[in-house]
Amino acid sequence: MNRTLEQLQTDIILAAKKGFPVLLSGAIVFLLFTFSPLVFPMKIVYLIWILGLSVIFPFGILLSKMMNVNILVTNNPIGTLAGIVAAPQAFYIPVFIIVYMHIPEYLPFTIGLLCGSHFLPYIWIYKSKVYLFVTLATCISSLLLGGFFIELAFTTVPLAISIVYGIGILLIFRELRNNPV
């Protein structure tokens, strides 16, 4: 059966619930990052940031399974596109490692900007302006807090990102309730 682009988008929006479990996972992980400087020495905090990012997607999959949401839509080419759009984040890892090695104080700035920007294509994939908010709010807060208030960046940037993702989740719920597709 040939489905139209509109039908494919509708199918992925309904199956993946606009991808909110990944945002939820990110909100939880970044909230945990917020408290890491209170518990660990900064050299460990830097590593927690780099290694902790690798937890977000698998944790999002786990949360989606627990909530009966299918974020790994495989029978839909738009699901494949969503995976392709997410994949370039793997290429950010060398950037994070170089920042860690040379100017680790800028990890929140760098991670916030690069990870925040990757949500932009989901505006179209999920027909959701929420992802424009998530992209802009994550990038702007990371730029301002991580670029200009460096001494506070390891607590303020992850807290801001966690809050942005949390607001994004609430806005996605509202979109799904008011207009599921």
Side-chain angles (χ1 to χ4, degrees):
M1 169 174 121
N2 286 331
R3 296 181 285 174
T4 67
L5 180 59
E6 189 77 22
Q7 290 167 326
L8 291 169
Q9 277 184 294
T10 298
D11 291 350
I12 197 166
I13 288 166
L14 295 174
K17 303 288 187 228
K18 298 190 178 192
F20 87 85
V22 175
L23 278 180
L24 178 58
S25 173
I28 292 167
V29 169
F30 278 104
L31 186 61
L32 292 173
F33 284 3
T34 302
F35 299 105
S36 64
L38 304 173
V39 179
F40 301 104
M42 286 310 292
K43 287 187 178 206
I44 301 297
V45 171
Y46 303 151
L47 292 173
I48 288 170
W49 272 71
I50 291 173
L51 299 174
L53 293 174
S54 66
V55 171
I56 294 174
F57 187 68
F59 186 41
I61 292 171
L62 175 66
L63 291 173
S64 71
K65 294 211 181 285
M66 291 169 45
M67 294 182 251
N68 206 24
V69 174
N70 182 11
I71 62 168
L72 298 176
V73 178
T74 57
N75 62 343
N76 183 326
I78 295 180
T80 304
L81 175 63
I84 290 169
V85 165
Q89 287 188 92
F91 295 103
Y92 300 167
I93 295 168
V95 174
F96 301 154
I97 292 170
I98 288 172
V99 171
Y100 162 73
M101 290 171 30
H102 297 287
I103 44 173
E105 300 80 20
Y106 282 97
L107 278 172
F109 163 79
T110 308
I111 288 171
L113 277 175
L114 291 177
C115 291
S117 68
H118 107 279
F119 288 111
L120 205 53
Y122 294 98
I123 297 166
W124 181 83
I125 290 170
Y126 292 130
K127 295 183 182 181
S128 176
K129 292 180 181 157
V130 171
Y131 283 100
L132 178 60
F133 163 77
V134 169
T135 297
L136 293 176
T138 300
C139 290
I140 290 168
S141 62
S142 298
L143 172 65
L144 295 176
L145 298 171
F148 297 107
F149 301 99
I150 298 163
E151 64 283 350
L152 301 172
F154 281 93
T155 53
T156 59
V157 171
L159 181 60
I161 292 172
S162 184
I163 291 168
V164 167
Y165 288 7
I167 292 169
I169 293 163
L170 294 175
L171 293 173
I172 286 172
F173 287 162
R174 187 172 76 183
E175 275 186 354
L176 290 170
R177 185 181 64 245
N178 293 341
N179 186 13
V181 288

